[in-house]
Amino acid sequence: MAYTALYRRYRPNSFSELVGQMHIAKTLTHAVAQGSFSHAYLFCGPRGTGKTSTARIVAKAINCLDPQNGEPCCKCQACLRIAGGASMDITEIDAASNRGIDEIRDLRESVKYAPVQEKYKIYIIDEVHALTGDANNAFLKTLEEPPAHVIFILATTEPHRLPVTVLSRCQRFDFHRISEQDIRQRLAYIAELEGFTVTSSATAILAKKAEGGLRDAVNLLDQCAVFGDGKIDEITVAKVLGLVDGSFTAALAEAVLKGDLPALLKMLDELNSSGKDLRAFLFDLLDYLRAELLKAYDNQDNARGAGLLKAITALAETDSHLRYSLQQRITLELALLQAGSFLEGVKAAARSSAAKASPTAAAPKPVSARASSPPEPPAAQATVKAKSSPPEPKTAELPVIEDEMTAERIKMLWPRIIKQVERNDDAGTMGFFQWAEAGGLKGNKLTLLFEPDFATHAKAISQRPQHRAVIERALSEICGKEMAFDIKIQAKAQPKELEQGNLNL
């Protein structure tokens, strides 16, 4: 005997067996029990959520010779014929293959004839959104006022593509994605009946990968059972679906957040060499980052939460690029680089290395002649003070400016301020601050200007106290008084030659 797939063997046979669609099952059961069923139904929802199975249950319940409170008995000749696909009065049509006006004209002719075996003739039209415009127009009158012995059940995954004139002639039922808990329970039930050994972690992975479609989940269970010879655990599911180990995903995510470029590239090379599906891995990575984001905000770790949010935002749209990319590895690498602070980290590390390797940086600063001369007697010192000589800086590295500070003077001191930020930097601040420019000054508050392209850098500085502390300390040390700052996003003004288009080419 030919093998029958599990999803076909375990199709629901009654409304009570429908999984995750009790709002629909209850309504249709009452309608059949009261004899108040409609002449046309529209079943909408994602794939694998039970639309076609429900249509067959409706066909059995309406034509059942011994209905039980709206449920089909599944034992009479009518129920057995319909379940076996042998009824002459139940017609299933694939609208994707029979979408033209000629097929609809044939249907209009056939509905005129009375049923041969059952009480009602029922037409189940799947993927009804695929009908052409002319076919829909030809179908409208028949759908609105069919003969008393005819019932139409339309099914679609894309109800938005149906004309309003079709929607208004049907009772609409929206099928929801089935919850992971309901899918797990159904998989465990099927596994028990089939004699499979399945772990709870395996059913959890299968339910998650099915994305609300029970048929997909049962298909995956069938596939894993064949691979594992009836023994299904987390390792079996990972091998069948080509999944990446959870610890690997966690390690790569941490490399992204920490800006560990060598570790990231090494792990991506391992991932690509193993032949894993990069899109599937991206889904797992996004799930992990989302879970970590929720933990971070539960623990009030705003700094980690901001990094996770940035990574998720950068990776969210990568799937569409991976789907059509000829170089999926490079596409994923670039997305991960954008997700972390790699570019800022690399530039800061390069500047730090250059400063350490520079001979001038390593050599001690020359001592001034005044500092090397012997100390003057107290009388001489008093004479110098009487002449109101300018005060000397506190240290040779951090000159203090005691005169009145202006925005123009800060702009002149800006290279010294940048150097001081880099010297004090212990939180990766320089990777963001290097794109700032000095703006206006009001009191002791300086405005830092960022171009729109570097808005994320400005946001990082404003949201992270450790960056603000490093910058304010450097400003205060160079300016000789307590300084603060605010941030403004402002496009750089173009030269007049560019504005007027007076380019001499």
Side-chain angles (χ1 to χ4, degrees):
M1 182 178 179
Y3 178 76
T4 305
L6 288 182
Y7 84 90
R8 293 180 60 191
R9 273 189 277 164
Y10 290 95
R11 274 185 182 274
N13 291 310
S14 61
F15 293 120
S16 59
E17 293 181 10
L18 284 175
V19 178
Q21 311 294 350
M22 296 312 298
H23 62 294
I24 295 175
K26 185 175 182 180
T27 303
L28 292 176
T29 301
H30 290 173
V32 174
Q34 297 169 10
S36 57
F37 42 84
S38 175
H39 68 278
Y41 293 101
L42 176 63
F43 293 165
C44 312
R47 69 181 191 281
T49 52
K51 299 185 295 296
T52 305
S53 296
T54 303
R56 294 177 180 176
I57 295 172
V58 171
K60 286 194 294 183
I62 290 176
N63 288 299
C64 181
L65 302 179
D66 185 24
Q68 308 293 325
N69 297 321
E71 291 274 18
C73 69
C74 298
K75 297 178 181 178
C76 66
Q77 291 299 315
C79 287
L80 294 177
R81 280 195 300 266
I82 295 172
S87 176
M88 299 177 63
D89 297 315
I90 309 300
T91 304
E92 292 193 29
I93 302 173
D94 176 20
S97 304
N98 303 278
R99 59 195 303 265
I101 191 171
D102 292 333
E103 288 82 358
I104 295 301
R105 285 171 177 166
D106 293 340
L107 185 149
R108 290 174 56 187
E109 290 299 320
S110 65
V111 298
K112 299 176 181 178
Y113 302 102
V116 178
Q117 296 173 305
E118 320 302 348
K119 292 184 286 185
Y120 290 90
K121 295 183 73 171
I122 297 180
Y123 292 87
I124 302 172
I125 306 178
D126 200 9
E127 303 298 335
V128 69
H129 61 265
L131 290 178
T132 64
D134 291 338
N136 275 315
N137 293 333
F139 185 43
L140 286 178
K141 194 61 179 178
T142 302
L143 183 63
E144 182 178 17
E145 296 180 359
H149 57 266
V150 172
I151 295 174
F152 290 105
I153 304 178
L154 315 181
T156 178
T157 56
E158 302 180 44
H160 58 278
R161 292 178 55 183
L162 290 175
V164 178
T165 48
V166 172
L167 295 173
S168 64
R169 287 165 167 79
C170 304
Q171 276 193 14
R172 174 170 173 167
F173 290 87
D174 287 287
F175 287 69
H176 303 157
R177 292 187 184 276
I178 303 173
S179 68
E180 291 185 11
Q181 183 62 30
D182 288 339
I183 293 178
R184 292 178 63 179
Q185 292 177 356
R186 184 65 175 177
L187 293 180
Y189 170 75
I190 293 174
E192 182 180 359
L193 294 181
E194 290 292 321
F196 301 154
T197 302
V198 60
T199 63
S200 59
S201 59
T203 57
I205 296 174
L206 293 175
K208 187 174 183 179
K209 290 299 176 184
E211 298 181 353
L214 181 58
R215 182 178 62 215
D216 292 352
V218 177
N219 258 332
L220 292 175
L221 177 71
D222 198 355
Q223 187 176 351
C224 292
V226 174
F227 179 85
D229 197 17
K231 298 179 180 179
I232 308 170
D233 56 14
E234 188 174 355
I235 297 176
T236 301
V237 175
K239 288 181 179 179
V240 171
L241 301 184
L243 302 180
V244 178
D245 184 72
S247 60
F248 181 91
T249 303
L252 189 140
E254 291 303 319
V256 170
L257 297 175
K258 293 178 180 178
D260 191 349
L261 181 59
L264 172 69
L265 295 179
K266 181 179 179 181
M267 285 187 282
L268 281 177
D269 185 61
E270 294 176 6
L271 182 68
N272 192 63
S273 300
S274 64
K276 300 296 186 182
D277 185 352
L278 296 184
R279 287 186 64 204
F281 169 73
L282 178 61
F283 292 155
D284 292 340
L285 180 61
L286 284 170
D287 284 340
Y288 175 84
L289 293 174
R290 177 182 178 276
E292 289 297 306
L293 177 64
L294 297 178
K295 290 180 184 178
Y297 285 124
D298 286 342
N299 298 330
Q300 297 183 348
D301 189 350
N302 294 331
R304 181 173 173 82
L308 287 164
L309 186 59
K310 176 183 177 183
I312 293 173
T313 303
L315 293 173
E317 298 181 357
T318 306
D319 174 53
S320 59
H321 301 301
L322 278 179
R323 182 177 300 177
Y324 304 107
S325 175
L326 297 178
Q327 295 288 342
Q328 288 193 339
R329 174 180 174 177
I330 296 177
T331 302
L332 184 58
E333 284 179 351
L334 291 175
L336 290 172
L337 288 173
Q338 293 175 357
S341 299
F342 296 112
L343 297 181
E344 292 85 349
V346 169
K347 291 178 180 178
R351 284 192 303 272
S352 178
S353 299
K356 291 178 181 178
S358 173
T360 57
K365 292 193 175 182
V367 181
S368 64
R370 182 171 186 176
S372 61
S373 61
E376 297 181 8
Q381 294 179 11
T383 305
V384 173
K385 289 183 179 178
K387 293 180 180 179
S388 302
S389 60
E392 293 189 8
K394 294 181 180 179
T395 65
E397 295 183 350
L398 303 176
V400 179
I401 310 301
E402 292 185 352
D403 57 342
E404 184 178 356
M405 189 59 58
T406 63
E408 289 73 18
R409 184 157 183 80
I410 288 182
K411 290 178 182 178
M412 293 174 60
L413 295 171
W414 194 244
R416 193 179 299 178
I417 292 172
I418 291 177
K419 188 174 182 179
Q420 189 62 29
V421 170
E422 187 173 3
R423 182 182 292 116
N424 297 342
D425 189 7
D426 57 359
T429 306
M430 194 58 194
F432 305 103
F433 180 74
Q434 63 178 323
W435 307 106
E437 294 183 3
L441 180 66
K442 187 175 183 181
N444 69 331
K445 180 173 287 189
L446 175 69
T447 300
L448 298 184
L449 302 178
F450 284 84
E451 294 185 39
D453 291 342
F454 302 106
T456 54
H457 300 67
K459 186 176 180 182
I461 291 176
S462 64
Q463 292 182 347
R464 299 179 187 176
Q466 62 270 31
H467 297 328
R468 181 173 288 274
V470 170
I471 297 171
E472 289 181 347
R473 177 186 169 193
L475 287 171
S476 301
E477 289 172 341
I478 298 299
C479 297
K481 62 179 180 178
E482 292 295 326
M483 294 288 293
F485 69 89
D486 56 14
I487 292 175
K488 183 178 180 180
I489 309 299
Q490 177 176 304
K492 185 179 293 186
Q494 293 183 345
K496 294 183 178 181
E497 291 82 0
L498 294 178
E499 292 178 357
Q500 299 173 2
N502 298 328
L503 294 177
N504 298 322
L505 301 177

